[in-house]
Amino acid sequence: DATDPVNPDTDDDGITDGDEKQEGTDPTKKDTDEDGIDDGVEKTDKTDPLKSDTDSDGVSDGDEKEDGTDPLNTDSDEDGVSDNQEKLDTTNALDRCSFVLNNQQEIPDAIWNSTDCDNDGITNSTEISNGTDPLVYDEPTPVASPIAGVWNLTDGVINDGTGTLYI
């Protein structure tokens, strides 16, 4: 046993050697899982001192703490894209409206659904339901026309003699 018999916390990580042995952490290493966060801090933060990536999103607890993301949540901003994917995409994992739509693999939360990321007056969830991009303002939207077919219109006026449709 490499612990110091006269020091109750050999590695000075804030957890006694006895508790570390009982919990499975290394009483001679401040950071058992080598994620950049001392075991005592991980215990306080409720992250796993035996697992370098507590939420298994591909970003270590130490990097998440440095980035300001949540090491207990795979998608810190709840936009449906994991923190790791946002890191790979170089988008902001703390901004609900900063993501690559095609990389949305998780279900976004209710706040994201009710947000209007492109400020066009249509919520994100409605845009997704309509098949439009919640990140693109003034995207051409399929509009049923009195003239046969479906037309992609961004602005204009249609008058079929029974009324006028302003787009």
Side-chain angles (χ1 to χ4, degrees), residues 43-137:
K43 193 171 180 179
T44 300
D45 290 350
K46 307 278 190 257
T47 56
D48 187 343
L50 296 171
K51 188 174 179 187
S52 63
D53 181 12
T54 299
D55 61 9
S56 301
D57 65 356
V59 183
S60 75
D61 294 345
D63 284 347
E64 292 223 41
K65 191 168 182 112
E66 188 176 301
D67 295 344
T69 55
D70 184 351
L72 299 172
N73 185 344
T74 59
D75 179 14
S76 294
D77 59 7
E78 302 289 345
D79 62 3
V81 181
S82 73
D83 295 342
N84 184 51
Q85 187 62 55
E86 294 218 42
K87 228 175 157 73
L88 294 171
D89 294 339
T90 64
T91 57
N92 185 343
L94 296 171
D95 180 349
R96 292 177 184 280
C97 295
S98 173
F99 64 96
V100 174
L101 185 60
N102 290 339
N103 291 333
Q104 207 172 35
Q105 302 295 318
E106 301 177 25
I107 297 172
D109 71 357
I111 295 171
W112 183 89
N113 282 317
S114 64
T115 298
D116 176 14
C117 284
D118 59 9
N119 295 310
D120 62 359
I122 303 168
T123 65
N124 294 338
S125 62
T126 301
E127 293 229 33
I128 295 295
S129 295
N130 291 344
T132 57
D133 189 333
L135 299 175
V136 178
Y137 186 87

Side-chain angles (χ1 to χ4, degrees), residues 15-59:
I15 305 173
T16 65
D17 295 348
D19 285 347
E20 289 213 55
K21 288 177 183 175
Q22 187 175 8
E23 294 166 9
T25 56
D26 186 340
T28 63
K29 285 176 71 176
K30 278 185 172 232
D31 180 12
T32 299
D33 61 9
E34 299 180 349
D35 62 359
I37 304 174
D38 291 353
D39 295 345
V41 174
E42 288 213 58
K43 193 171 180 179
T44 300
D45 290 350
K46 307 278 190 257
T47 56
D48 187 343
L50 296 171
K51 188 174 179 187
S52 63
D53 181 12
T54 299
D55 61 9
S56 301
D57 65 356
V59 183

